[in-house]
Amino acid sequence: MNLSFASPEPRQAAVITRRDQAIQAAHSLAEQAKPGAVERDQQRIYPVDLLNEFTRLGLGSISVPRRFGGGGLDYQTLAEVFRIISASDPSLGQIPQNHFGLIQFILGEGEPEQQETLLQAVVNGHRLGNGGPEKNTRHTRDVQARLSGKGDSRFLTGEKFYSTGALFADILVTTALQDDDRPVMAFIPLPAAGIEIVDDWSGMGQRTTASGTVRLNQVAVDPAWIIPLPSPEKPTLRGAVSQLIQAAIDAGIAQGALDDALAFVRDHSRPWVDAGVARNADDPYILADIGRISTELSAANALLRRAARVLDAIDPAALTAENSAAASIAVAEAKVLTTEIALRASEKLLEWGGSRATLLQHGLDRHWRNARTHTLHDPVRWKTHAIGNYYLNAVYPARHAWI
């Protein structure tokens, strides 16, 4: 297999092999991201420099096993890195989420030579971007894009949306149906003839993720870059890992909202006329509210850490239907709480701060818009359904990237 990569501006990337290094790097990046978060959100300025710093620091390869040159760090570290970064800027947190989901896919489904080549590229600083689900189909797993041809002549045609990370990627990764209707994942080095990545994401939240359209017009695909999707019967951790990162982003949104709420209540808000206190920070109802929100966030973070530990305890060589289902359920339980607390904390922030908290200059509305937008990635009602069906009827959850 002879795969080459042409990045317009080659990046240098460190390799992080210790948890404390990864956490320190995440905190460093979060501190850099926080001052400009409001401006980026309001003006839809992409965090390109910060994303390059994410890569340069070595955060992009922390989940790549050490046998491929990566950091080989655990899921607990991965979740904490995303939580820390997303507390400052959840758009910056969301951009690389598919990068890590695709690393998991390569590990689970790639041939040894594909794993070696693709994961070494990641270690060298290349980013994987998602050609996402298709917008005008029956559901998110309905694929209309076609990969036609035989032998060395394969051509991909279709249109994708929700393509988070594609605009900033070195390798575009997307699903398509072959001529025999078998679904595959195609890896396409960028730039490539026939690919148009369109900056048309207009969501009210997560505004700088560039989660828009990718158009594919007879794009040549090297057969060596094609990895078949697994059958529904094959146990996989791809969904659990993807959802763990989603939950970590939501937990980060909640933390960022609570942090800004505490600062705003202390420094910028005034008490309600009937409260009988000199400071809004002494309003007994706000104190009780903050106590409840803090407790709920602690519970969500605890379930997030537990879910990561469940994933860490699974030997990939001994993956079964039973332990992959248990992992998905553990992550689903965390996702329920992180969804709820992200929405509640970001809404309570505005209530505690009063009408002045809605002023554009403060940019506090971004927390709720980000929470509401990101938590729509997959409906939490289907998480609680899967959890209930698992415990009551011993029914395993579906196997895909959304559970």
Side-chain angles (χ1 to χ4, degrees):
M1 186 182 299
N2 182 18
L3 304 182
S4 60
F5 301 91
S7 180
E9 296 182 4
R11 290 180 295 272
Q12 293 183 340
V15 176
I16 296 175
T17 58
R18 298 204 320 261
R19 174 182 169 84
D20 63 318
Q21 292 175 323
I23 300 304
Q24 182 180 4
H27 278 298
S28 173
L29 187 64
E31 288 302 311
Q32 295 175 57
K34 194 166 186 178
V38 172
E39 181 183 10
R40 288 193 300 275
D41 170 78
Q42 292 178 346
Q43 299 185 29
R44 291 189 185 267
I45 299 171
Y46 295 133
V48 176
D49 290 343
L50 292 164
L51 187 59
N52 287 338
E53 182 69 359
F54 178 96
T55 302
R56 187 193 68 79
L57 288 169
L59 290 169
S61 64
I62 58 174
S63 70
V64 174
R66 293 188 184 180
R67 68 182 183 274
F68 299 112
L73 298 180
D74 57 18
Y75 295 113
Q76 295 173 70
T77 302
L78 182 65
E80 184 64 4
V81 163
F82 272 88
R83 191 192 70 82
I84 290 167
I85 293 171
S86 298
S88 287
D89 185 345
S91 287
L92 178 61
Q94 185 180 344
I95 288 169
Q97 71 179 36
N98 289 311
H99 171 91
F100 285 92
L102 291 166
I103 289 172
Q104 189 67 38
F105 175 78
I106 294 166
L107 288 170
E109 308 306 326
E111 296 295 331
E113 195 173 359
Q114 291 173 322
Q115 293 175 344
E116 182 71 33
T117 304
L118 292 169
L119 296 178
Q120 186 59 59
V122 169
V123 172
N124 290 340
H126 288 82
R127 292 193 288 261
L128 306 174
N130 180 44
E134 299 171 23
K135 190 161 52 174
N136 299 313
T137 53
R138 293 173 300 158
H139 51 73
T140 193
R141 299 188 73 190
D142 184 10
V143 177
Q144 299 297 316
R146 305 296 303 197
L147 182 63
S148 302
K150 297 180 180 179
D152 293 336
S153 299
R154 307 288 184 91
F155 295 94
L156 177 56
T157 296
E159 185 171 302
K160 303 290 184 172
F161 197 63
Y162 305 111
S163 300
T164 307
L167 191 63
F168 316 105
D170 302 289
I171 304 170
L172 177 69
V173 189
T174 192
T175 53
L177 296 179
Q178 297 187 126
D179 290 334
D180 60 3
D181 287 334
R182 292 178 58 194
V184 297
M185 198 80 85
F187 290 72
I188 309 165
L190 297 175
I195 293 182
E196 182 184 9
I197 301 175
V198 186
D199 175 12
D200 63 348
W201 171 246
S202 62
M204 69 175 184
Q206 297 299 91
R207 289 180 169 185
T208 64
T209 59
S211 301
T213 300
V214 171
R215 298 192 181 109
L216 305 135
N217 182 19
Q218 288 291 295
V219 179
V221 178
D222 188 328
W225 286 73
I226 298 170
I227 301 179
L229 268 69
S231 69
E233 291 75 32
K234 181 180 178 180
T236 174
L237 292 181
R238 182 185 173 208
V241 172
S242 174
Q243 288 294 301
L244 181 76
I245 297 171
Q246 302 281 3
I249 293 170
D250 293 335
I253 293 173
Q255 188 66 62
L258 181 58
D259 290 345
D260 279 0
L262 299 181
F264 194 86
V265 168
R266 281 193 299 259
D267 302 332
H268 298 290
S269 65
R270 60 184 181 181
W272 178 241
V273 63
D274 296 325
V277 295
R279 302 186 315 144
N280 202 27
D282 294 321
D283 183 315
Y285 293 108
I286 289 180
L287 291 172
D289 263 357
I290 289 174
R292 279 190 287 270
I293 292 296
S294 298
T295 301
E296 291 169 8
L297 180 54
S298 294
N301 286 334
L303 281 192
L304 181 67
R305 291 190 294 269
R306 189 195 70 168
R309 289 196 300 271
V310 170
L311 278 166
D312 285 328
I314 296 174
D315 178 359
L319 192 59
T320 64
E322 290 75 16
N323 58 23
S324 63
S328 288
I329 292 299
V331 174
E333 290 173 333
K335 187 73 160 51
V336 169
L337 290 198
T338 59
T339 294
E340 291 175 352
I341 192 58
L343 292 169
R344 191 147 42 239
S346 57
E347 182 178 358
K348 280 291 185 181
L349 159 59
L350 299 174
E351 178 187 328
W352 300 334
S355 58
R356 70 179 61 188
T358 67
L359 296 178
L360 188 64
Q361 69 193 69
H362 301 302
L364 297 177
D365 60 305
R366 76 188 190 280
H367 294 294
W368 184 86
R369 288 187 289 99
N370 289 335
R372 183 64 284 179
T373 300
H374 189 260
T375 56
L376 294 175
H377 180 274
D378 44 88
V380 74
R381 64 185 180 274
W382 280 94
K383 293 286 186 291
T384 52
H385 168 272
I387 294 165
N389 212 16
Y390 176 78
Y391 287 120
L392 182 61
N393 297 319
V395 174
Y396 293 165
R399 294 193 182 110
H400 52 65
W402 296 273
I403 187 62

